[in-house]
């Protein structure tokens, strides 16, 4: 225990003295919070569309105006006569609505008028959003204009739970906490471990009586202190800027954060033990950390969309469990009952990572 | 012929040959150019999938009549929803949504069938877990559409006077990888070109061979150009590899002109090499270079539209992204591959990328020269 604490104090002293790393430890996470928190939005607002009105009747004009009043679409400036070539191909507009010349006459005569809608499918997600909203608008337009009996036989009562306003920041920001705390604490830990190897000071540790487990635990403790500092800083700032707060019992989140920090520090130490110099260590954490925490953690799109062999990998990504805990704390609010499994998984992962690192480090040490 | 001889006998040629030799001997560099891009393309393409499909649906059917069962099968017919469980009452259904076991819930009231037969509108309740705001939005749109469609079929005389005929262009099947993979292609090229060029210079700095180069009569531009040319050729190879993966594995269409695409890629490689050189000149060691590249590449990638669309970012970031060369390149890749755009559409991007390439290479050469003297 004494040796662990000594190792921890030594590591913290070194960390404090290294100005560049100290700055990186706090500036990089904040930068990530800002960019991810603000810039990752999946659903487009103010989508530019063009309406080609061949009918030019009162009805078609009302339709066009109504479309822009949904607050989802804005008219795009374009010139030409082929909306596909002149607006969609050029990327000026994301969708085109073409109102045929006999639009209002046909409706007056009791016939069905065909409204043509062209949608740019390059952005798959928003193509779906646009398609849904144009169809929903058309239906409500028909009812508003008394063209269709307002009372359909079945009325769906839609209720959105947990996030009724569908604020996307509520989904993204708790996930960003997970990505940040997966990458930066492990980056620092990997740097510390590989520095000892690069500068050869690890040999002194080998020669001394400290064991591999004690060395790892000492470093882990030191960076746990740093990581808790980062966590308080980033999560506090994130809550203040994006106006989110705990919706239920915060204790699973607080404990989960501690366990998750240990898991990601262990991951960093493991990479540090494997890498021979700091550049390799940084690259290892950056590549593996970003790929795992960003792509295989359910941060952007639901985990259930990941196809089979790859979906197995998601089970060993600590960030995945933490993001689950974090979203529960800030949006869902079920508390321990909902997230205890994730907590257990995090403990297991942290322990496994520690053991692998200890094995590798132990192998390098002289026996006895 | 004479020109060729002069080229071969020039100092520049000798330096280039030295660089090529160094690159070919550096197994790590070749590995760096082949392995990570392929893995990144594969993982991004497979993992980032915005499909709204197979959402777990819990059904509480108090009515339990043929009509209510038909409504359930209408909801599940096109694969958006999938019945996962049928809890006995609303409380349990709510509990299951709360625990995240199911994403959506449907409650059909006991009076459903009776209401349908009378003039009374029948109400059904649809619960959607909106933690994932994006998926919830699309799912609720689908649910409303399907139920409306179903109720319209019940009263066929009541035909809708307007029918919307939706045509999805460029990606009619809405295959998600067709959006992500071209974006990641830009990302991969950006990472590859900046990383490789940084390490080419920093390595010489670290080992001190840069001073030796400086002692030779070679001019700064000759040293730099000799470094650029072989990297340029290598990175063009990386582009080809990435395009091959995109078209063979993900079946992304290549609708535009291949040479136009390679021309743009060449421009972007110059931009990437410029970024890399700039990084190398400002940092003192390889470790510092890699850490600073974090600072540069993270915003470049996130504000490029490769992962999340630019249109959905706040205004400020949209304007900021105009100063991001990667944004322009990603637009070009999507434009050429999916839309078959030609230069008449992409000329603004061509101008922007040329400006970035010239500016970055000029600044880094200048900084390099001042460091040399």
């Amino acid at each position: 225990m004494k040796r662990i604490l000594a190792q921890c104090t030594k590591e913290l002293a070194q960390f404090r003295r290294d100005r560049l790393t100290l700055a990186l430890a706090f500036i990089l996470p904040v930068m990530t919070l800002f960019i991810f928190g603000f810039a990752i939005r999946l659903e487009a607002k103010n989508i530019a569309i063009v309406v080609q009105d061949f009918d030019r009747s009162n009805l078609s004009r009302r339709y066009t105006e109504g479309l822009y009043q949904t607050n989802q679409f804005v008219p795009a400036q374009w010139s030409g006569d082929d909306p596909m070539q002149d607006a969609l191909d050029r990327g000026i507009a994301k969708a085109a609505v073409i109102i045929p010349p006999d639009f209002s006459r046909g409706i007056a005569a009791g016939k069905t008028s065909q409204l043509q809608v062209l949608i740019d499918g390059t952005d798959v997600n928003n193509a779906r959003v646009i398609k849904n909203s144009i169809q929903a608008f058309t239906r409500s337009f028909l009812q508003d204009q008394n063209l269709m009996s307002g009372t359909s036989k079945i009325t769906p009562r839609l209720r959105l739970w947990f996030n009724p306003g569908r604020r996307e920041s509520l989904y993204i920001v708790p996930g960003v906490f997970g990505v940040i705390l997966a990458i930066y604490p492990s980056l620092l830990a990997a740097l510390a471990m590989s520095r000892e190897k690069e500068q050869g000071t690890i040999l002194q540790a080998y020669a001394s009586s400290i064991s591999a487990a004690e060395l790892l635990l000492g470093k882990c403790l030191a960076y746990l202190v740093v990581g808790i500092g980062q966590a308080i800083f980033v999560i506090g700032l994130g809550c203040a800027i994006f106006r989110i707060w705990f919706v239920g019992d915060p204790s699973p989140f607080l404990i989960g954060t501690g366990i998750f920090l240990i898991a990601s520090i262990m991951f960093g130490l493991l990479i540090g033990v494997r890498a021979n110099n700091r550049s390799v260590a940084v690259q290892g954490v950056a590549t593996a950390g970003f790929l795992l925490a960003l792509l295989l953690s359910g941060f952007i799109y639901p985990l259930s969309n990941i196809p089979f062999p790859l979906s197995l990998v998601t089970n060993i990504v600590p960030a995945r469990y933490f993001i689950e805990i974090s979203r529960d704390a800030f949006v869902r609010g079920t508390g321990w009952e909902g997230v205890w499994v994730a907590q257990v998984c995090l403990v297991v992962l942290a322990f496994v990572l520690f053991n692998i690192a200890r094995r590798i480090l132990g192998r390098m040490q002289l026996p006895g | 012929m004479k020109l060729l001889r002069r080229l071969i006998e020039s100092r520049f040629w000798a330096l280039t040959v030295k660089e090529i030799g160094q690159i070919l001997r550096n197994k790590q560099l070749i590995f760096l150019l082949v392995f990570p891009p392929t893995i990144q393309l594969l993982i991004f393409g497979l993992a980032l999938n915005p499909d709204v499909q197979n959402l777990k649906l819990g059904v509480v059917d108090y009515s339990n009549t043929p009509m209510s069962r038909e409504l359930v099968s209408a909801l599940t017919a096109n694969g958006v929803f999938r019945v996962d469980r049928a809890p006995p009452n609303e409380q349990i259904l709510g509990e299951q949504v709360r625990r995240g076991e199911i994403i959506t819930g449907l409650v059909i009231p006991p009076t459903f069938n009776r209401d349908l037969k009378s003039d009374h509108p029948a109400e059904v309740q649809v619960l959607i877990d909106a933690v994932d705001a994006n998926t919830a939005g699309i799912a609720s749109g689908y649910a409303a559409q399907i139920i409306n469609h179903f109720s319209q079929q019940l009263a066929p005389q009541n035909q809708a006077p307007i029918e919307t005929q939706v045509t999805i262009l460029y990606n009619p099947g809405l295959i998600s990888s067709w959006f992500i993979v071209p974006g990641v292609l830009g990302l991969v090229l950006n990472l590859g070109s900046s990383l490789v060029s940084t390490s080419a210079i920093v390595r010489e700095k670290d080992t001190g061979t840069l001073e030796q180069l400086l002692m030779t009569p070679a001019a700064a531009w000759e040293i730099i150009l000799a470094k650029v040319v072989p990297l340029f050729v290598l990175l063009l190879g990386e582009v080809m590899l990435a395009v091959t993966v995109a078209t063979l594995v993900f079946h992304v269409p290549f609708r535009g002109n291949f040479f136009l695409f390679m021309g743009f890629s060449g421009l972007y490689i110059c931009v990437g090499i410029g970024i890399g050189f700039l990084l190398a000149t400002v940092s003192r060691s390889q470790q510092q270079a890699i850490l600073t590249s974090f600072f540069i590449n993270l915003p470049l990638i996130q504000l490029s539209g490769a992962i999340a669309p630019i249109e959905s970012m706040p205004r400020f970031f949209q304007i900021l992204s105009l100063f991001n060369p990667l944004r322009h390149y990603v637009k070009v890749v999507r434009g050429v591959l999916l839309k078959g755009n030609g230069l008449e559409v992409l000329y603004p991007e061509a101008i922007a990328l040329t400006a970035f390439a010239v500016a970055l290479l000029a600044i880094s050469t200048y900084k390099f020269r001042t460091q040399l003297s």
Side-chain angles (χ1 to χ4, degrees):
Chain A
M1 197 60 208
K2 220 166 139 191
R3 278 190 293 234
I4 295 177
L5 279 181
Q7 178 67 25
C8 169
T9 349
K10 172 234 144 200
E11 199 59 54
L12 280 177
Q14 258 182 337
F15 174 73
R16 246 203 328 270
R17 246 179 283 144
D18 189 351
R19 285 281 160 82
L20 179 74
T21 323
L22 190 64
L24 285 179
F26 290 92
I27 296 172
L28 271 178
V30 170
M31 192 180 86
T32 316
L33 176 72
F34 272 89
I35 294 179
F36 279 28
F38 278 115
I40 297 190
R41 289 287 177 279
L42 302 173
E43 206 177 301
K45 306 271 185 313
N46 302 322
I47 302 162
I49 62 166
V50 296
V51 177
Q52 202 173 27
D53 185 357
F54 287 117
D55 187 35
R56 290 171 192 281
S57 65
N58 264 331
L59 191 71
S60 70
R61 267 194 287 273
R62 272 206 297 274
Y63 182 86
T64 315
E65 274 163 27
L67 206 53
Y68 293 136
Q69 271 161 16
T70 53
N71 286 328
Q72 199 166 18
F73 301 110
V74 290
Q77 298 298 325
W78 71 299
S79 55
D81 39 38
D82 182 359
M84 182 170 151
Q85 247 178 34
D86 297 319
L88 290 173
D89 270 0
R90 288 172 184 276
I92 296 170
K94 291 287 160 200
V97 177
I98 301 161
I99 303 175
D102 54 350
F103 179 70
S104 55
R105 245 180 302 141
I107 291 174
K111 277 187 285 193
T112 300
S113 287
Q114 301 277 349
L115 199 68
Q116 215 193 347
V117 181
L118 304 173
I119 298 173
D120 181 345
T122 17
D123 176 359
V124 174
N125 185 50
N126 277 310
R128 279 197 195 98
V129 172
I130 295 170
K131 182 179 166 214
N132 275 349
S133 18
I134 289 183
Q135 282 180 338
F137 167 73
T138 307
R139 200 182 312 117
S140 70
F141 176 78
L142 284 175
Q143 286 170 2
D144 288 348
Q145 303 293 320
N146 288 322
L147 293 170
M148 207 171 70
S149 62
T151 50
S152 64
K153 299 214 74 162
I154 306 172
T155 3
R157 285 265 170 270
L158 284 165
R159 287 200 356 227
L160 299 173
W161 275 22
F162 312 120
N163 184 4
R166 292 207 298 110
R167 269 171 62 196
E168 270 203 279
S169 55
L170 224 45
Y171 179 65
I172 297 292
V173 177
V176 176
F177 294 157
V179 174
I180 291 176
L181 296 184
I183 293 171
Y184 297 111
S186 56
L187 188 69
L188 292 178
L191 271 174
M193 198 67 217
S194 55
R195 188 183 51 219
E196 298 245 21
K197 288 183 78 182
E198 194 179 287
Q199 297 177 344
T201 46
I202 191 88
L203 294 174
Q204 293 168 13
Y206 289 162
S208 72
S209 59
I210 192 168
S211 74
E214 284 166 334
L215 183 74
L216 286 174
L217 286 177
K219 286 202 191 309
C220 178
L221 194 61
Y223 284 100
L224 184 61
V225 175
V226 178
I228 289 174
Q230 285 181 317
I232 293 174
F233 188 51
V234 166
I235 294 172
L237 203 63
C239 288
I241 296 174
F242 297 99
R243 281 175 291 134
I244 61 173
W245 194 241
F246 299 109
V247 289
D249 177 15
S251 67
F253 179 73
L254 299 179
I255 292 171
T257 308
I259 306 173
F260 179 57
L261 280 172
I262 295 174
S264 56
I265 290 167
M266 282 303 171
F267 175 71
L269 289 176
L270 173 61
I271 292 205
V273 167
R274 288 287 300 165
N276 285 321
N277 59 55
R278 282 180 277 180
S279 314
V280 174
V282 172
Q283 253 167 21
V285 173
T287 316
F290 265 106
L291 280 184
L292 296 178
L294 204 62
L295 301 177
L296 299 176
S297 66
F299 166 53
I300 299 181
Y301 296 117
L303 273 174
S304 53
N305 281 352
I306 298 175
F308 165 64
L310 204 58
S311 61
L312 291 179
V313 183
T314 62
N315 291 320
I316 56 163
V317 178
R320 170 226 163 126
Y321 299 106
F322 179 72
I323 289 179
E324 224 170 89
I325 296 172
S326 170
R327 285 198 178 128
D328 190 82
F330 289 105
V331 200
R332 206 187 291 269
T334 21
W336 282 107
E337 180 199 356
V339 297
W340 66 270
V341 182
Q343 307 263 13
V344 172
C345 291
L346 277 180
V347 173
V348 171
L349 281 175
F351 187 71
V352 169
L353 287 168
F354 166 69
N355 258 316
I356 300 174
R358 190 178 57 92
R359 280 258 177 101
I360 297 172
L361 198 58
R363 219 177 289 150
M364 297 170 181
Q365 241 171 343
L366 290 172
Chain B
M1 223 37 225
K2 221 171 166 184
L3 207 69
L4 196 70
R5 178 165 300 159
R6 269 185 59 190
L7 178 72
I8 290 179
E9 283 169 359
S10 72
R11 241 189 330 252
F12 164 71
W13 186 254
L15 281 167
T16 312
V17 171
K18 163 206 158 260
E19 288 295 332
I20 295 175
Q22 260 182 342
I23 288 172
L24 288 182
R25 252 174 290 130
N26 189 349
K27 292 262 159 50
Q28 201 192 350
L29 193 74
I30 307 282
F31 173 82
L32 218 63
L33 279 175
V34 173
F35 191 65
T38 317
I39 293 292
Q40 275 162 352
L41 273 173
L42 288 177
I43 296 191
F44 269 94
L46 291 172
L48 282 189
N49 183 348
D51 283 355
V52 179
Q53 271 209 315
N54 284 324
L55 299 178
K56 287 180 189 166
L57 174 75
V59 179
V60 181
D61 187 356
Y62 289 125
S63 159
N64 204 12
T65 50
M67 203 46 115
S68 69
R69 281 193 287 272
E70 234 170 85
L71 177 68
V72 174
S73 70
L75 265 174
T76 51
N78 60 3
V80 176
F81 302 100
R82 179 169 52 88
V83 178
D84 189 67
R85 54 192 74 194
N89 60 47
E90 272 180 84
Q91 279 73 36
I92 295 177
L93 179 84
E95 204 45 48
Q96 285 170 345
V97 174
R98 199 176 308 257
R99 265 184 271 134
E101 287 167 12
I102 48 176
I103 307 288
T104 50
L106 172 75
V107 181
I108 303 174
T111 55
F112 181 72
N113 206 31
R114 244 176 296 143
D115 288 341
L116 276 185
K117 282 188 180 126
S118 68
D119 276 343
H120 218 318
E123 265 187 18
V124 293
Q125 232 187 72
V126 181
L127 301 178
I128 295 175
D129 174 350
V131 174
D132 177 353
N134 177 54
T135 304
I138 294 174
S140 66
Y142 277 143
Q145 259 174 52
I146 294 170
I147 294 175
N148 274 313
H149 189 75
F150 181 78
S151 75
Q152 253 170 40
Q153 277 179 335
L154 292 179
Q157 74 279 6
N158 196 354
Q159 208 191 6
I162 302 179
E163 204 171 88
T164 43
Q165 268 192 330
V166 179
T167 314
I168 308 258
L169 301 170
Y170 316 123
N171 183 1
L174 289 181
I175 302 164
S176 59
S177 57
W178 288 17
F179 172 70
I180 296 291
V181 169
V184 179
L185 205 149
L187 184 157
V188 159
L189 186 61
N190 178 66
L191 285 177
S193 55
S194 63
L195 228 98
V196 167
S197 53
T198 311
S199 73
I201 290 206
V202 174
R203 198 182 46 237
E204 299 232 18
K205 268 190 176 175
D206 276 1
T207 50
T209 44
L210 201 59
E211 274 76 18
Q212 289 175 12
L213 270 183
L214 296 182
M215 306 289 267
T216 64
W221 71 265
E222 280 176 316
I223 299 177
I224 289 193
L225 200 65
K227 281 198 177 297
V228 169
V229 171
L231 289 181
F232 186 83
V233 175
L234 266 183
L235 288 161
L236 275 183
E238 194 191 52
V239 175
M240 302 266 227
L241 174 79
V243 170
T244 314
V245 172
T247 46
L248 284 187
V249 179
F250 294 104
H251 307 289
V252 176
F254 200 119
R255 300 202 173 106
N257 185 311
F258 180 74
F259 295 101
L260 179 72
F261 175 73
M262 288 314 275
F264 269 109
S265 301
L267 259 182
Y268 196 74
I269 290 172
C270 293
V271 173
I273 291 178
I275 295 174
F277 279 180
L278 203 57
L279 272 174
T281 47
V282 296
S283 43
R284 260 167 273 136
S285 66
Q286 191 153 15
Q287 187 206 343
Q288 230 183 44
I290 290 174
L291 279 178
T292 4
S293 80
F294 245 107
F295 267 113
I296 309 291
N297 282 326
L298 191 78
L300 278 189
I301 290 170
Q302 287 307 322
L303 298 178
S304 68
I307 298 170
I310 293 181
E311 290 83 16
S312 49
M313 291 175 193
R315 188 110 204 102
F316 171 72
F317 283 96
Q318 288 191 21
I319 294 167
L320 201 64
S321 76
L322 288 174
F323 299 98
N324 177 358
L326 188 54
R327 174 215 160 125
H328 300 285
Y329 182 62
V330 166
K331 188 180 172 200
V332 167
V333 179
R334 289 208 178 109
V336 174
L337 263 61
L338 298 178
K339 295 184 172 184
N341 284 160
L343 204 56
E344 74 282 357
V345 172
L346 297 173
Y347 69 90
E349 278 71 29
I351 296 170
L353 284 177
T354 314
F356 278 117
V358 170
L360 280 167
L361 285 176
I363 295 171
S364 57
T365 316
Y366 172 76
K367 288 215 89 170
F368 194 62
R369 204 184 297 152
T370 48
Q371 272 189 358
L372 294 190
S373 50

